[in-house]
Amino acid sequence: MPPAALITGITGQDGAYLAEFLLSRGYEVHGMVRRASTENFERIGHLTSEITLHQADLLDQLSIITLVRDIRPREIYNLAAQSFVPTSWLQPLLTGEFTALGVTRMLEAVRLVDPKIRFYQASSSEMFGDVREEPQTEKTPFWPRSPYGVAKVYGHWITVNYRESYDIFACSGILFNHESPRRGKEFVTRKVTDSVARIKLGVQDKLYLGNLEAMRDWGFSGDYVRAMWMMLQQDRPDDYVVATGIKHSVRDLVELAFRHVDLDWQDHVEVDPKLFRPAEVNTLRGDANKAREVLGWVPSVSFAELVQMMVDADLDRVQHEIDDQKRAAAFNPPAPSPSES
Ligand code: NAP
Ligand code: G4F
């Protein structure tokens, strides 16, 4: 029997890469999706014949217990969350329900149904916030700077607590920013690469951004989901930082992305003060030595390769959109005005 895995947040960026990775390892893959009036399977559409999707919601304890009881997975990857930092100031309570208490609901289901299930929690470098030291390790104290970061600190510690209280194989992966062509367009990397493609292809002129001086340790999502799986294959559960160890500013990102298509970013980028955050995480850089030594994990994609991969994917996609629009216009020419008929 192939091992079964349950992924919450399977419709998100990491969920799609993790589903592909687990399928390649022979897993029976189950995904938890919340009910929506229209399906939101853009990132996993190519996988729907190979995976099983189930409706449940992080807000609904009974639906989670029923789901875990029905599937009885060997491993659970809890990736679902309200994951966009600015939204956490607009919806702090909902963010707490999804991103903090949702973790306890998942852990309660594990405890009640089968405490032998192995559990991965998607913790975040946002927990380091106003960083106390550089680079950040598993031992660096947390100082979150957003309701999202605060909620992730709760999710992290409740995972540690269930490990210590109930001997559950629960791991927390403290992942630094990781991106891909599947990244949501509201996050800065994808906002930049999508705009670069649109500007290059002549369907957009300006790109409005917030703080260009913020620094992040950016890696590739495909590499980071591999680390999640590796954590659950160890003899004992533990917490790991996953990062590249190299940081860049948003300004570096913008320069590189525009340069890749032979454009000067200064002709197109404008700073909009409305996009600055009430409290900023100015800089993040992780030390993933523990993941390298214990798990044998190393990233395979550099920052420059990541930016190029994302710009190229967006150029391709935007060009297809333009071609589709032209074809649709040719098939449905505008109706003649009364004076022409
Ligand atoms: P994402 O693309 O925003 O995906 C979030 C997923 O959570 C989506 O599938 C979403 O479903 C689901 N979800 C949200 N609320 C839910 C609810 N109430 N019930 C069930 N599902 C719900 O995020 P990501 O980038 O893949 O990140 C995955 C996880 O890692 C998140 O927990 C994030 O906070 C954490 N993380 C991410 C990074 C990063 O740089 N990407 C770094 C550190 C930690 P819908 O499609 O229905 O919205
Ligand atoms: O891409 P971002 O929105 O990602 P952020 O806030 O670092 O959060 C992401 O990474 C976390 C891991 O550290 C995850 F836990 C979280 O779920 C999410 O995936 O912003 C990155 C930086 C920020 O400093 C922001 O102020 O870019 C700066 N920025 C500048 N202009 C902008 C913009 N960010 C966005 N989203 N949009 C802008 O126009």
mmCIF file of all heavy atoms in Angstrom, residues 140-160:
data_model
loop_
_atom_site.group_PDB
_atom_site.id
_atom_site.type_symbol
_atom_site.label_atom_id
_atom_site.label_comp_id
_atom_site.label_asym_id
_atom_site.label_seq_id
_atom_site.Cartn_x
_atom_site.Cartn_y
_atom_site.Cartn_z
ATOM 1 N N THR A 140 16.946 31.635 17.318
ATOM 2 C CA THR A 140 16.758 33.094 17.349
ATOM 3 C C THR A 140 15.380 33.433 17.936
ATOM 4 O O THR A 140 14.376 32.854 17.516
ATOM 5 C CB THR A 140 16.856 33.672 15.915
ATOM 6 O OG1 THR A 140 18.119 33.310 15.360
ATOM 7 C CG2 THR A 140 16.689 35.188 15.909
ATOM 8 N N PRO A 141 15.318 34.355 18.918
ATOM 9 C CA PRO A 141 14.010 34.707 19.497
ATOM 10 C C PRO A 141 13.095 35.356 18.449
ATOM 11 O O PRO A 141 13.557 36.004 17.510
ATOM 12 C CB PRO A 141 14.351 35.724 20.590
ATOM 13 C CG PRO A 141 15.812 35.614 20.811
ATOM 14 C CD PRO A 141 16.426 35.095 19.546
ATOM 15 N N PHE A 142 11.787 35.162 18.629
ATOM 16 C CA PHE A 142 10.798 35.741 17.702
ATOM 17 C C PHE A 142 10.416 37.157 18.137
ATOM 18 O O PHE A 142 10.353 37.442 19.326
ATOM 19 C CB PHE A 142 9.528 34.878 17.675
ATOM 20 C CG PHE A 142 9.760 33.458 17.230
ATOM 21 C CD1 PHE A 142 9.104 32.400 17.856
ATOM 22 C CD2 PHE A 142 10.615 33.164 16.179
ATOM 23 C CE1 PHE A 142 9.305 31.089 17.446
ATOM 24 C CE2 PHE A 142 10.827 31.855 15.756
ATOM 25 C CZ PHE A 142 10.167 30.814 16.400
ATOM 26 N N TRP A 143 10.140 38.020 17.143
ATOM 27 C CA TRP A 143 9.639 39.384 17.412
ATOM 28 C C TRP A 143 8.731 39.767 16.236
ATOM 29 O O TRP A 143 9.116 40.583 15.395
ATOM 30 C CB TRP A 143 10.784 40.381 17.559
ATOM 31 C CG TRP A 143 10.347 41.690 18.159
ATOM 32 C CD1 TRP A 143 9.577 42.655 17.568
ATOM 33 C CD2 TRP A 143 10.654 42.177 19.471
ATOM 34 N NE1 TRP A 143 9.375 43.707 18.418
ATOM 35 C CE2 TRP A 143 10.034 43.436 19.608
ATOM 36 C CE3 TRP A 143 11.384 41.663 20.541
ATOM 37 C CZ2 TRP A 143 10.129 44.194 20.769
ATOM 38 C CZ3 TRP A 143 11.476 42.437 21.685
ATOM 39 C CH2 TRP A 143 10.852 43.680 21.798
ATOM 40 N N PRO A 144 7.549 39.113 16.147
ATOM 41 C CA PRO A 144 6.717 39.320 14.959
ATOM 42 C C PRO A 144 6.241 40.759 14.826
ATOM 43 O O PRO A 144 6.078 41.459 15.823
ATOM 44 C CB PRO A 144 5.543 38.364 15.194
ATOM 45 C CG PRO A 144 5.509 38.146 16.671
ATOM 46 C CD PRO A 144 6.925 38.217 17.143
ATOM 47 N N ARG A 145 6.027 41.193 13.567
ATOM 48 C CA ARG A 145 5.697 42.600 13.300
ATOM 49 C C ARG A 145 4.349 42.766 12.612
ATOM 50 O O ARG A 145 4.035 43.857 12.121
ATOM 51 C CB ARG A 145 6.776 43.205 12.408
ATOM 52 C CG ARG A 145 8.144 43.266 13.093
ATOM 53 C CD ARG A 145 8.341 44.540 13.852
ATOM 54 N NE ARG A 145 8.596 45.656 12.933
ATOM 55 C CZ ARG A 145 8.575 46.925 13.292
ATOM 56 N NH1 ARG A 145 8.260 47.251 14.531
ATOM 57 N NH2 ARG A 145 8.833 47.863 12.416
ATOM 58 N N SER A 146 3.559 41.690 12.535
ATOM 59 C CA SER A 146 2.235 41.793 11.894
ATOM 60 C C SER A 146 1.314 40.792 12.574
ATOM 61 O O SER A 146 1.782 39.812 13.172
ATOM 62 C CB SER A 146 2.343 41.431 10.404
ATOM 63 O OG SER A 146 2.765 40.080 10.271
ATOM 64 N N PRO A 147 -0.014 41.003 12.464
ATOM 65 C CA PRO A 147 -0.931 39.993 13.008
ATOM 66 C C PRO A 147 -0.665 38.612 12.401
ATOM 67 O O PRO A 147 -0.808 37.594 13.083
ATOM 68 C CB PRO A 147 -2.314 40.531 12.612
ATOM 69 C CG PRO A 147 -2.104 42.020 12.540
ATOM 70 C CD PRO A 147 -0.721 42.204 11.980
ATOM 71 N N TYR A 148 -0.230 38.576 11.134
ATOM 72 C CA TYR A 148 0.133 37.294 10.514
ATOM 73 C C TYR A 148 1.309 36.667 11.267
ATOM 74 O O TYR A 148 1.286 35.475 11.618
ATOM 75 C CB TYR A 148 0.500 37.519 9.045
ATOM 76 C CG TYR A 148 1.165 36.325 8.383
ATOM 77 C CD1 TYR A 148 0.415 35.276 7.869
ATOM 78 C CD2 TYR A 148 2.560 36.255 8.283
ATOM 79 C CE1 TYR A 148 1.038 34.178 7.267
ATOM 80 C CE2 TYR A 148 3.182 35.165 7.678
ATOM 81 C CZ TYR A 148 2.421 34.134 7.183
ATOM 82 O OH TYR A 148 3.032 33.059 6.594
ATOM 83 N N GLY A 149 2.347 37.457 11.518
ATOM 84 C CA GLY A 149 3.531 36.940 12.206
ATOM 85 C C GLY A 149 3.183 36.450 13.602
ATOM 86 O O GLY A 149 3.668 35.397 14.046
ATOM 87 N N VAL A 150 2.333 37.195 14.281
ATOM 88 C CA VAL A 150 1.918 36.797 15.635
ATOM 89 C C VAL A 150 1.160 35.464 15.572
ATOM 90 O O VAL A 150 1.381 34.556 16.382
ATOM 91 C CB VAL A 150 1.038 37.896 16.278
ATOM 92 C CG1 VAL A 150 0.473 37.430 17.615
ATOM 93 C CG2 VAL A 150 1.843 39.182 16.471
ATOM 94 N N ALA A 151 0.276 35.334 14.578
ATOM 95 C CA ALA A 151 -0.498 34.090 14.436
ATOM 96 C C ALA A 151 0.437 32.909 14.144
ATOM 97 O O ALA A 151 0.238 31.802 14.656
ATOM 98 C CB ALA A 151 -1.526 34.248 13.307
ATOM 99 N N LYS A 152 1.470 33.141 13.321
ATOM 100 C CA LYS A 152 2.412 32.056 13.005
ATOM 101 C C LYS A 152 3.229 31.660 14.241
ATOM 102 O O LYS A 152 3.598 30.493 14.393
ATOM 103 C CB LYS A 152 3.342 32.469 11.865
ATOM 104 C CG LYS A 152 2.692 32.377 10.483
ATOM 105 C CD LYS A 152 2.502 30.930 10.020
ATOM 106 C CE LYS A 152 1.874 30.822 8.654
ATOM 107 N NZ LYS A 152 1.528 29.449 8.264
ATOM 108 N N VAL A 153 3.525 32.630 15.119
ATOM 109 C CA VAL A 153 4.239 32.279 16.351
ATOM 110 C C VAL A 153 3.370 31.336 17.188
ATOM 111 O O VAL A 153 3.852 30.327 17.725
ATOM 112 C CB VAL A 153 4.619 33.545 17.152
ATOM 113 C CG1 VAL A 153 5.157 33.161 18.531
ATOM 114 C CG2 VAL A 153 5.667 34.364 16.403
ATOM 115 N N TYR A 154 2.079 31.635 17.267
ATOM 116 C CA TYR A 154 1.162 30.737 17.986
ATOM 117 C C TYR A 154 1.186 29.347 17.332
ATOM 118 O O TYR A 154 1.301 28.322 18.015
ATOM 119 C CB TYR A 154 -0.260 31.311 17.970
ATOM 120 C CG TYR A 154 -1.269 30.358 18.574
ATOM 121 C CD1 TYR A 154 -1.595 30.418 19.929
ATOM 122 C CD2 TYR A 154 -1.867 29.372 17.800
ATOM 123 C CE1 TYR A 154 -2.488 29.522 20.481
ATOM 124 C CE2 TYR A 154 -2.764 28.465 18.341
ATOM 125 C CZ TYR A 154 -3.079 28.548 19.682
ATOM 126 O OH TYR A 154 -3.956 27.656 20.220
ATOM 127 N N GLY A 155 1.060 29.300 16.009
ATOM 128 C CA GLY A 155 1.045 28.010 15.299
ATOM 129 C C GLY A 155 2.323 27.220 15.546
ATOM 130 O O GLY A 155 2.306 25.997 15.696
ATOM 131 N N HIS A 156 3.443 27.949 15.593
ATOM 132 C CA HIS A 156 4.738 27.290 15.846
ATOM 133 C C HIS A 156 4.748 26.665 17.246
ATOM 134 O O HIS A 156 5.050 25.485 17.417
ATOM 135 C CB HIS A 156 5.858 28.320 15.717
ATOM 136 C CG HIS A 156 7.202 27.786 16.088
ATOM 137 N ND1 HIS A 156 7.965 27.043 15.230
ATOM 138 C CD2 HIS A 156 7.904 27.860 17.258
ATOM 139 C CE1 HIS A 156 9.086 26.689 15.832
ATOM 140 N NE2 HIS A 156 9.076 27.166 17.063
ATOM 141 N N TRP A 157 4.391 27.461 18.245
ATOM 142 C CA TRP A 157 4.523 26.972 19.630
ATOM 143 C C TRP A 157 3.486 25.902 19.977
ATOM 144 O O TRP A 157 3.758 25.004 20.773
ATOM 145 C CB TRP A 157 4.461 28.127 20.631
ATOM 146 C CG TRP A 157 5.749 28.898 20.677
ATOM 147 C CD1 TRP A 157 5.937 30.211 20.387
ATOM 148 C CD2 TRP A 157 7.051 28.388 21.032
ATOM 149 N NE1 TRP A 157 7.267 30.560 20.518
ATOM 150 C CE2 TRP A 157 7.974 29.459 20.925
ATOM 151 C CE3 TRP A 157 7.534 27.139 21.414
ATOM 152 C CZ2 TRP A 157 9.329 29.318 21.193
ATOM 153 C CZ3 TRP A 157 8.890 26.987 21.691
ATOM 154 C CH2 TRP A 157 9.767 28.076 21.572
ATOM 155 N N ILE A 158 2.301 25.969 19.346
ATOM 156 C CA ILE A 158 1.313 24.921 19.643
ATOM 157 C C ILE A 158 1.779 23.600 19.017
ATOM 158 O O ILE A 158 1.534 22.518 19.564
ATOM 159 C CB ILE A 158 -0.113 25.321 19.184
ATOM 160 C CG1 ILE A 158 -1.166 24.494 19.939
ATOM 161 C CG2 ILE A 158 -0.334 25.223 17.699
ATOM 162 C CD1 ILE A 158 -1.311 24.833 21.383
ATOM 163 N N THR A 159 2.502 23.689 17.908
ATOM 164 C CA THR A 159 3.069 22.474 17.292
ATOM 165 C C THR A 159 4.129 21.867 18.223
ATOM 166 O O THR A 159 4.128 20.663 18.493
ATOM 167 C CB THR A 159 3.677 22.821 15.914
ATOM 168 O OG1 THR A 159 2.647 23.376 15.105
ATOM 169 C CG2 THR A 159 4.262 21.591 15.230
ATOM 170 N N VAL A 160 5.018 22.726 18.729
ATOM 171 C CA VAL A 160 6.029 22.260 19.687
ATOM 172 C C VAL A 160 5.336 21.674 20.920
ATOM 173 O O VAL A 160 5.705 20.609 21.433
ATOM 174 C CB VAL A 160 6.964 23.430 20.085
ATOM 175 C CG1 VAL A 160 7.919 23.015 21.203
ATOM 176 C CG2 VAL A 160 7.735 23.942 18.870
#
